[in-house]
Amino acid sequence: MSSKKIVSSESVTEGHPDKMCDLISDAILDEALRQDPSSRVAIETGTKNGGVMVFGEMTTNAYIDIPRVVRDTIKNIGYTKSEYGIEWETCSVWVQITEQSPDISQGVSKGKGLHRGQGAGDQGMMYGYACNETKEFMPLPIALAHELAMKLSETRKKGEIAYLRPDGKSQVSIEYNEQGKPVRADTIVVSTQHDGAIAHERIKKDVVEKIITPICKEWIDKDTRFLVNPTGAFVRGGPYADAGLTGRKIIVDTYGGIGRHGGGAFSGKDPTKVDRSAAYATRYIAKNIVAAGLAEKCEIQFAYAIGVAEPVSINIDCFGTNKIPIDSIENLAYEFFPTKPSDIIKVLDLRRPIFKKTAAYGHFGRNDPDFTWEKTDKVALLRKEAGIKK
């Protein structure tokens, strides 16, 4: 029996129908927060053929021209011709939005409801994860998959491969040794929408040379398999080929299937929704724990009850890699990191229009100062408190 283990993760480009919907939902959220940082937003988007549906709840003092935001987002993605699957100027936009339920609002508003603090916007559990496989403290398969998807989009927008269209996917399968360390890329899959009448051999050659090799060369060996457009063609794409919906790529958004997921989507939700803000907070804690050397990998779960500020539970699992007792790590998390929704929002500065750029290529592992949950500002403090030398 072979002792090797192969782990796979996928990513999708911003032109994927589901990601298009995530981007639209977060673009609307950003516009609301830009005008009114206290906006309460829970927006979903769906798309099929030449239509976009925007629906949900919003309480805000902002005025938002939603059809304009939708069309600008679609244009920026690159859907500028109807044959791509949708066209930004001629698509239909249907809107159904009401105010946030007053029953939910009183639980989230400080001084209202049964509990006087600003409570969580919903019940549920949220997970954060970090490991030391990459410099971003992310699992290698999802880190490479995101880089491939981003490179695919950048190459298209720069015209370096002129026949590419917006829709696309990547998937990376990494082989791990007995010690749990990544050793090689077993299989790399890239599916990219393209103009008609382009030979498959040309597409594969261009994608391998200009996209796969620059990103994955460190992990490629003579046995690595490349699967490029494995059906043979990918001309019909976007919402014409497949319906899109907000929140259907939650594993792409997080850790690629490594580590658990609470089930709640992020896009279109303001930071009072702990599905989003607590997932960011748990990543912040886990990343600092691993970066400080307290563990090689760390997964953190928060669970909340709607309208209650404190988590009903916090659970930390370091999978046996922790250098100090788990109880000590939990005490450090409670003492030095935010856990209440209001504290998370304040510490991570989440009432800003920063969320559209989180919607594609992952919410974690990104080197961007607006991604405040990625900072490792507690490393020195944690090392000192834990008695671990650098």
Side-chain angles (χ1 to χ4, degrees):
M1 181 182 291
S2 173
S3 61
K4 71 180 181 181
K5 181 174 80 169
I6 296 176
V7 178
S8 302
S9 295
E10 72 158 344
S11 185
V12 298
T13 68
E14 63 204 80
H16 185 282
D18 292 332
K19 270 290 145 229
M20 187 177 94
C21 291
D22 287 340
L23 281 158
I24 290 170
S25 294
D26 272 338
I28 293 168
L29 168 64
D30 276 1
E31 184 58 23
L33 292 174
R34 186 185 68 80
Q35 298 183 44
D36 178 7
S38 297
S39 296
R40 303 273 177 80
V41 181
I43 293 297
E44 310 288 346
T45 303
T47 184
K48 178 60 183 167
N49 293 339
V52 176
M53 298 146 281
V54 179
F55 49 98
E57 300 80 47
M58 188 179 338
T59 299
T60 182
N61 291 318
Y63 170 75
I64 303 168
D65 185 346
I66 288 176
R68 180 190 61 78
V69 174
V70 170
R71 295 182 192 283
D72 286 350
T73 303
I74 294 172
K75 179 183 179 182
N76 290 336
I77 290 170
Y79 281 113
T80 55
K81 298 180 180 180
S82 58
E83 59 262 36
Y84 290 176
I86 196 169
E87 198 274 331
W88 71 280
E89 283 187 300
T90 59
C91 67
S92 63
V93 180
W94 178 71
V95 180
Q96 284 288 328
I97 297 176
T98 61
E99 289 188 340
Q100 183 183 57
S101 162
D103 301 328
I104 297 175
S105 180
Q106 70 176 3
V108 179
S109 300
K110 187 175 181 179
K112 298 183 179 181
L114 293 177
H115 304 270
R116 291 302 166 192
Q118 179 182 324
D122 203 351
Q123 71 174 43
M125 60 278 192
M126 302 83 210
Y127 286 92
Y129 182 84
C131 62
N132 61 3
E133 288 180 20
T134 64
K135 67 181 186 301
E136 301 88 1
F137 297 96
M138 289 288 285
L140 181 62
I142 189 65
L144 292 177
H146 282 324
E147 287 187 54
L148 287 171
M150 192 175 293
K151 182 72 171 176
L152 194 60
S153 183
E154 290 175 352
T155 301
R156 169 179 60 87
K157 290 183 173 181
K158 291 178 179 178
E160 294 174 5
I161 303 179
Y163 55 79
L164 295 183
R165 292 180 177 183
D167 201 351
K169 290 184 174 184
S170 63
Q171 184 170 286
V172 179
S173 300
I174 295 293
E175 180 182 328
Y176 288 76
N177 62 20
E178 291 180 343
Q179 290 73 44
K181 304 299 182 183
V183 293
R184 58 179 292 273
D186 183 81
T187 305
I188 299 171
V189 184
V190 173
S191 295
T192 178
Q193 189 187 12
H194 58 88
D195 291 344
I198 306 296
H200 179 263
E201 292 76 14
R202 179 184 174 189
I203 297 170
K204 182 173 182 178
K205 180 178 183 293
D206 286 346
V207 169
V208 170
E209 289 182 357
K210 298 180 180 180
I211 294 168
I212 294 177
T213 301
I215 298 299
C216 301
K217 57 185 175 182
E218 178 184 350
W219 303 99
I220 293 170
D221 63 20
K222 63 182 178 59
D223 295 319
T224 300
R225 289 193 303 164
F226 302 126
L227 299 175
V228 177
N229 285 5
T231 70
F234 188 178
V235 177
R236 179 181 293 190
Y240 185 33
D242 188 15
L245 190 64
T246 301
R248 286 205 300 201
K249 288 292 177 283
I250 58 176
I251 300 301
V252 172
D253 288 342
T254 51
Y255 308 101
I258 294 136
R260 285 167 281 195
H261 197 295
F266 302 156
S267 290
K269 297 177 182 177
D270 76 83
T272 66
K273 311 293 190 298
V274 284
D275 277 340
R276 182 168 222 156
S277 55
Y280 292 170
T282 51
R283 163 64 177 175
Y284 176 43
I285 301 170
K287 185 175 181 181
N288 275 270
I289 288 170
V290 174
L294 275 59
E296 293 180 15
K297 52 185 173 181
C298 179
E299 181 183 80
I300 298 179
Q301 183 205 60
F302 283 3
Y304 290 89
I306 189 169
V308 180
E310 287 283 3
V312 298
S313 68
I314 293 179
N315 182 59
I316 299 179
D317 188 353
C318 295
F319 309 95
T321 68
N322 45 298
K323 305 300 188 294
I324 63 173
I326 286 289
D327 288 349
S328 298
I329 293 177
E330 288 179 351
N331 290 335
L332 291 172
Y334 272 112
E335 184 173 358
F336 296 113
F337 293 93
T339 59
K340 297 179 182 179
S342 59
D343 292 340
I344 293 170
I345 291 169
K346 181 178 180 181
V347 170
L348 299 182
D349 195 13
L350 297 181
R351 291 197 182 276
R352 296 175 295 139
I354 60 171
F355 296 108
K356 182 180 177 182
K357 59 184 172 180
T358 70
Y361 313 115
H363 293 245
F364 308 118
R366 306 270 293 276
N367 183 23
D368 187 310
D370 284 333
F371 288 52
T372 50
W373 49 94
E374 291 296 312
K375 60 187 177 181
T376 52
D377 57 333
K378 302 291 187 181
V379 165
L381 176 62
L382 291 176
R383 285 175 177 158
K384 178 182 177 182
E385 293 293 324
I388 293 179
K389 294 183 179 180
K390 187 174 181 181

